[in-house]
Amino acid sequence: MFIQTESTPNPATLKFLPGQTVLEAGTADFTTQEAAASSPLAARIFAVGNVTGVFFGHDFVTVTKDESTDWDHIKPALLGAIMEHFQSGAPVMDGEATTNAGHAAHDGPDSEIVEQIKELLDTRVRPAVAQDGGDITFHGFEKGVVYLHMQGACAGCPSSTLTLKMGIENLLRHYIPEVLEVRPVAA
C-alpha cells in the first residue's frame, strides 16, 4: 500500500490519499480525541499525538497538527497509522456512527434561494475545497447572509476568510442577488 500526501492551503493540515475509498458517502469531522471514539481510524490517528483534528472525505484523510509540532516529526507516524488501519481490514467508522451528509435543512420563505445556494455550493465550491482537503457546507440563510460551516483543512486555514469573501461570496452574489454576505459559523 502506498499513501500519497499533499499539502493544503492550511499549513497545519496535511492531506493523505490512501488510494482507496475512505467514506462511501458524506464526510466526517473529528475535532477532539473523544469525538474520534466513533471511528477506529480517527482514534488511531489521534493516538499518534499532537493531532488536533481529523477529517474524512470520499478518498482522503486530512490531519491537522498542533502548532508546536513539525510535520517532519509526525508525518511518518501518521503514515504508519493510516497504513496499519487499512491493512487491518477494520472499518473506518463504527457501525452505528454517522457521517455528515452535508448541508443543514432549511424550511421557510427563502427555500428556493437556499436550494440555489446549495446547488452552487455542491457544483462549484465543494469539489474545489475537497481538492484542498476540506469541506464547506450550508448552515443557514437569514436576511441576505449565508452562514457556512468549514471543515477539515478549511477550518482554521489562514486563507479561509479570503476564500469566503473573495471567492464564495462573490460567486453567490453573482448568481443570487438576494445574497448580501457570507459568514462562517463555528461547529
Side-chain angles (χ1 to χ4, degrees), residues 79-137:
L79 285 165
I82 294 168
M83 186 176 302
E84 286 171 14
H85 177 83
F86 281 105
Q87 289 177 338
S88 76
V92 171
M93 302 289 287
D94 283 336
E96 70 279 352
T98 58
T99 58
N100 178 9
H103 306 300
H106 181 88
D107 299 345
D110 296 325
S111 59
E112 285 184 29
I113 295 168
V114 168
E115 285 307 311
Q116 291 175 12
I117 292 168
K118 289 178 181 181
E119 176 71 19
L120 283 170
L121 290 173
D122 287 342
T123 58
R124 302 282 184 99
V125 177
R126 293 178 81 190
V129 296
Q131 290 292 315
D132 288 337
D135 197 11
I136 296 178
T137 57

Side-chain angles (χ1 to χ4, degrees), residues 100 102-107 114 117-118 121 126 135-142 145-151 164 172 182-187:
N100 178 9
H103 306 300
H106 181 88
D107 299 345
V114 168
I117 292 168
K118 289 178 181 181
L121 290 173
R126 293 178 81 190
D135 197 11
I136 296 178
T137 57
F138 174 82
H139 186 78
F141 178 70
E142 186 178 332
V145 179
V146 177
Y147 296 92
L148 300 176
H149 184 232
M150 300 167 59
Q151 300 174 301
L164 275 178
L172 293 178
V182 172
R183 293 183 194 164
V185 294

Side-chain angles (χ1 to χ4, degrees):
M1 176 176 206
F2 180 71
I3 300 172
Q4 293 181 309
T5 60
E6 293 179 359
S7 59
T8 71
N10 184 345
T13 302
L14 196 59
K15 183 177 177 182
F16 294 82
L17 299 142
Q20 62 190 66
T21 299
V22 177
L23 287 180
E24 287 293 333
T27 60
D29 192 24
F30 306 96
T31 55
T32 65
Q33 189 160 6
E34 294 74 31
S38 64
S39 167
L41 176 56
R44 195 181 293 233
I45 292 169
F46 270 102
V48 168
N50 304 95
V51 172
T52 61
V54 176
F55 179 81
F56 299 150
H58 176 70
D59 62 352
F60 66 89
V61 174
T62 55
V63 178
T64 304
K65 65 172 184 63
D66 64 28
E67 296 203 13
S68 65
T69 304
D70 192 274
W71 278 117
D72 291 338
H73 296 119
I74 194 174
K75 184 177 168 182
L78 291 170
L79 285 165
I82 294 168
M83 186 176 302
E84 286 171 14
H85 177 83
F86 281 105
Q87 289 177 338
S88 76
V92 171
M93 302 289 287
D94 283 336
E96 70 279 352
T98 58
T99 58
N100 178 9
H103 306 300
H106 181 88
D107 299 345
D110 296 325
S111 59
E112 285 184 29
I113 295 168
V114 168
E115 285 307 311
Q116 291 175 12
I117 292 168
K118 289 178 181 181
E119 176 71 19
L120 283 170
L121 290 173
D122 287 342
T123 58
R124 302 282 184 99
V125 177
R126 293 178 81 190
V129 296
Q131 290 292 315
D132 288 337
D135 197 11
I136 296 178
T137 57
F138 174 82
H139 186 78
F141 178 70
E142 186 178 332
K143 297 180 182 171
V145 179
V146 177
Y147 296 92
L148 300 176
H149 184 232
M150 300 167 59
Q151 300 174 301
C154 297
C157 178
S159 62
S160 64
T161 302
L162 185 64
T163 299
L164 275 178
K165 291 295 179 187
M166 300 307 291
I168 300 168
E169 184 175 291
N170 285 346
L171 173 79
L172 293 178
R173 289 175 66 184
H174 176 79
Y175 287 103
I176 307 167
E178 293 85 354
V179 172
L180 304 175
E181 184 181 358
V182 172
R183 293 183 194 164
V185 294

